[in-house]
Amino acid sequence: MNSPVQGKSIGASATPIAAPDFGLYNYLVCLKGVLVREGLRFLNQRERFISSLVRPLLWLFIFAAGFRQVLGVSIIPPYKTYVLYEVYITPGLCGMILLFSGMQSSLSMVYDREMGNMRTLLVSPFPRWFLLVSKLLAGVVVSIAQVYVFLAIAWFWDVKAPPVGYLMVLPALFLAGLMLGALGLLLSSLIKQLENFAGVMNFVIFPMYFASPALYPLWRVQESSPLLHKICQLNPFTYAVELIRFAFYGQIEWTSLAVVIGFTAIFLAAAIIAYDPSRGLVIRKQDAGGNG
Amino acid sequence: MQQMTVLDQTNGTAALDVAAVSHSYGPKKALDTVSFAIAPGTFTVLLGLNGAGKTTLFSLISHLYDTRQGSIRIFGHDVTRASGEALRRLGIVFQARTLDLDLSVHQNLSYHASLHGIGAREARKRIAAVLETVDMAGRLNDKARSLSGGQMRRVEIARALLHRPHLLLLDEATVGLDVQSRAGILADIRRLVRSEGISAFWATHLIDEVEDSDHVVVLAEGTVVADGVVSDVVRAANANNIGEAFSKLVRKAPAAQGATA
C-alpha cells in the first residue's frame, strides 16, 4: 500500500464507553414509532387506501352478483344453511385485502430501499429482527383496518356475518395478515428492483388467490381438476381464507391455524435471515447505494 | 453546572477505529486492507474520487453490510459483534436523500427518535433543539417535500444529531447543493465539533471542503493512500497544497498502476 502518511494509534484499544441498555419501554417506543409512521404513510397515500377497497368491492358488487347463479355453493362447514355467494366469498375478499396489503408492504420496502429510506430503519441500534417484526406488525395493523372498512361497506350491502363474528375474526385476520406480511417481507429481500414487482403480481398474488377456496369451495375444484385441488391444498393462502371463514362463525379451524402459524414462522425466519447483514441476501442484491 | 461535552465522556477511546478492512462485491474489490483511526472531537475528512470506496466504507461502519475482513470499532464497540452499542453512538447523513417526503419535518424526526427508543416528550424537546441548531426551527410542520435540497440536508443533519451521537458520519453531505448551502452546512458541522466535542467523519471529493488543520484520510481505488493532518500529507506528497497532493496520491494509487481489479 502506498501510504506516505499514516495516522498514529488513537487509544483504539481503550475500554468501550458504556451506555444504559434499552429496556422494554424503549422497545415499545420503537414499535409505536414504526406503527405511527406506517399509519401516516397510509393516510397520506389516499389512492392506496381507495384502491385497496375498490378491488374487493368490485369482486363483491359485480363479480359475485354475476356469478351467483353459476357458482352454486352447497352447505359446507362452517355454514349451516345455504348462503349467498356474496357471503361465501367475503372471507376470501378479506384474505385478498391482506394478501395485497402484504405485497404492498413488500413493494414499499423495495421502494424504501431504492430511495434510501430503508437505511434509516436498518441503522437503528435495535436488533434487526425486532425492527422487521415491528415493520411487519405495522403493516398488519394497517391491513386489518382496511378489512374492517370493507366489512362495514359489505354490511350495508346486506352481506353480514353473525355480530360476534366481527370480533372473533380479528385474531384470524391478525394471524393471516402476519403470514402474508411475512411473505411480503421475504419477497422484498428477494426483489432487486421496483420494476420486478410486476412479477410478484403474476407469480405470487394471482396464483395464490385463484388456487384457493376464496372464490369457490375446494370440492368444486376437486371435481374439475384433482391436480389443481392438490395445488390448492399446498397453498398457504387456502388456510388463511379458511381460518378467517370459520372465525366469522366463532369456530377455529385447527388445521388452518397450525398451517398459518407454521408458514408465518418460516416466512419470518427466512426474511430475518435475508435481512441479516452477515448472512442475508440483501447485501448481495443491494449496491453500495452511492457512487463514492 | 457546567455541561459535559461528548469529548469529556470518551476517555481517550478512538471515535472510530478501522483495522485492516477489506470488502468485495463479487470479484470486484471495493476496499483493500483499509486501516485508520479517528480521534474523539475532531473533524476528519475522507477524501476520495467517485468510486474510491467511500460509500462502501460508510455502509460497513453503519453496519448496513457486515464487516467480513478486518474490524471496525466505534468508541471501542465492534460494529459487527456489538452493533447496537456501536450504532447508538453513530449519527449518519447518507449521500442519498432519506427523508420521507410525504411526512412533515416533525414526523420524520419523531420517527427517527422512536428508532432510538426516545419517548415522545423527550423527542419533542430534542427536535426543537436540533432544528434550532441547524436553523430550521420554523419548518417543523412543513412537509419534507416542500423543502429545498439544502433545507432537506439540514433536516437530515438535525435527525442525525437527535439521539446525541458521539460520531457523525456524513457521506457527500453537500452533493447537489449550491455554494452557499454547502458552505453553511460545512460551517455548521465544524461548529458542532468545536462546541459539542462531536467527532465528524466527512466524506467528500471536493478539495475546497478541506482545511489545513483537518485530519484527512485519502482513499483511492479502495486503499488508504494517505492518513494524517493536511499539512503532513501535503509535505509527504511533496506538493504545494492539498489539491496537488490529492492528485499525486490518486495517480499513485495501486489500481491506477494496474495493481488491483
Side-chain angles (χ1 to χ4, degrees), chain B residues 47-204:
Chain B
L47 197 57
L49 297 174
N50 289 339
K54 303 192 294 296
T55 299
T56 300
L57 180 59
F58 273 32
S59 296
L60 292 170
I61 295 170
S62 55
H63 199 228
L64 284 172
Y65 300 166
D66 214 34
T67 308
R68 292 169 187 220
Q69 287 179 54
S71 71
I72 297 175
R73 288 173 177 272
I74 297 171
F75 288 97
H77 298 282
D78 189 287
V79 167
T80 302
R81 279 177 286 174
S83 60
E85 287 297 306
L87 291 173
R88 286 167 76 174
R89 288 159 182 79
L90 189 63
I92 309 164
V93 178
F94 294 104
Q95 182 178 340
R97 298 280 191 274
T98 54
L99 290 179
D100 193 325
L101 300 180
D102 290 325
L103 302 187
S104 70
V105 169
H106 180 262
Q107 287 164 345
N108 267 289
L109 295 184
S110 292
Y111 175 56
H112 179 83
S114 67
L115 290 179
H116 283 264
I118 301 165
R121 191 179 303 168
E122 176 66 15
R124 268 196 298 277
K125 279 192 272 181
R126 291 196 192 189
I127 288 169
V130 291
L131 285 178
E132 195 74 49
T133 303
V134 297
D135 204 19
M136 287 291 291
R139 308 300 298 266
L140 184 69
N141 295 312
D142 290 357
K143 280 267 167 76
R145 191 182 296 283
S146 70
L147 304 178
S148 69
Q151 288 167 335
M152 279 193 205
R153 206 42 122 187
R154 284 178 183 278
V155 173
E156 285 177 327
I157 291 169
R159 184 179 62 185
L161 294 170
L162 197 61
H163 57 283
R164 296 178 181 157
H166 294 182
L167 172 64
L168 203 54
L169 292 189
L170 302 108
D171 188 6
E172 305 265 10
T174 56
V175 77
L177 302 184
D178 59 60
V179 177
Q180 198 175 0
S181 299
R182 272 179 55 197
I185 285 171
L186 186 56
D188 280 349
I189 300 298
R190 289 186 183 280
R191 181 170 48 75
L192 275 169
V193 170
R194 282 194 300 274
S195 62
E196 307 289 331
I198 288 176
S199 314
F201 193 32
W202 177 277
T204 185

Side-chain angles (χ1 to χ4, degrees), chain A residues 1-2 4-5 7 10 12 17 19-20 25-26 30 33 37 41 44 115-117 124-126 128 278 287-288 291-292, chain B residues 13-14 17 25 51 53-55 63 65-66 77 88-89 95 97-98 100 102 114-115 117-119 224-225 227 236 252:
Chain A
M1 186 175 70
N2 185 2
V5 181
I10 310 164
I17 303 154
Y25 170 76
N26 305 97
C30 181
R37 192 232 184 194
R41 274 173 65 99
N44 282 326
M115 295 299 118
N117 293 340
S124 162
F126 285 97
R128 197 158 286 185
S278 61
D287 67 6
N291 55 13
Chain B
T13 308
D17 179 31
Y25 298 108
K54 303 192 294 296
T55 299
H63 199 228
Y65 300 166
D66 214 34
H77 298 282
R88 286 167 76 174
R89 288 159 182 79
Q95 182 178 340
R97 298 280 191 274
T98 54
D100 193 325
D102 290 325
S114 67
L115 290 179
I118 301 165
V224 173
V225 292
D227 172 14
K252 280 192 209 168

Side-chain angles (χ1 to χ4, degrees), chain B residues 13-59:
Chain B
T13 308
L16 176 67
D17 179 31
V18 177
V21 168
S22 297
H23 191 82
S24 302
Y25 298 108
K28 188 179 185 304
K29 202 153 203 171
L31 295 174
D32 187 9
T33 335
V34 168
S35 297
F36 62 91
I38 291 178
T42 58
F43 185 92
T44 302
V45 179
L46 178 64
L47 197 57
L49 297 174
N50 289 339
K54 303 192 294 296
T55 299
T56 300
L57 180 59
F58 273 32
S59 296

Side-chain angles (χ1 to χ4, degrees), chain A residues 237-256:
Chain A
F237 186 67
T238 292
Y239 301 93
V241 171
E242 289 306 286
L243 188 67
I244 294 167
R245 188 187 310 284
F246 277 78
F248 267 121
Y249 295 88
Q251 299 174 39
I252 301 171
E253 215 290 299
W254 292 102
T255 306
S256 297

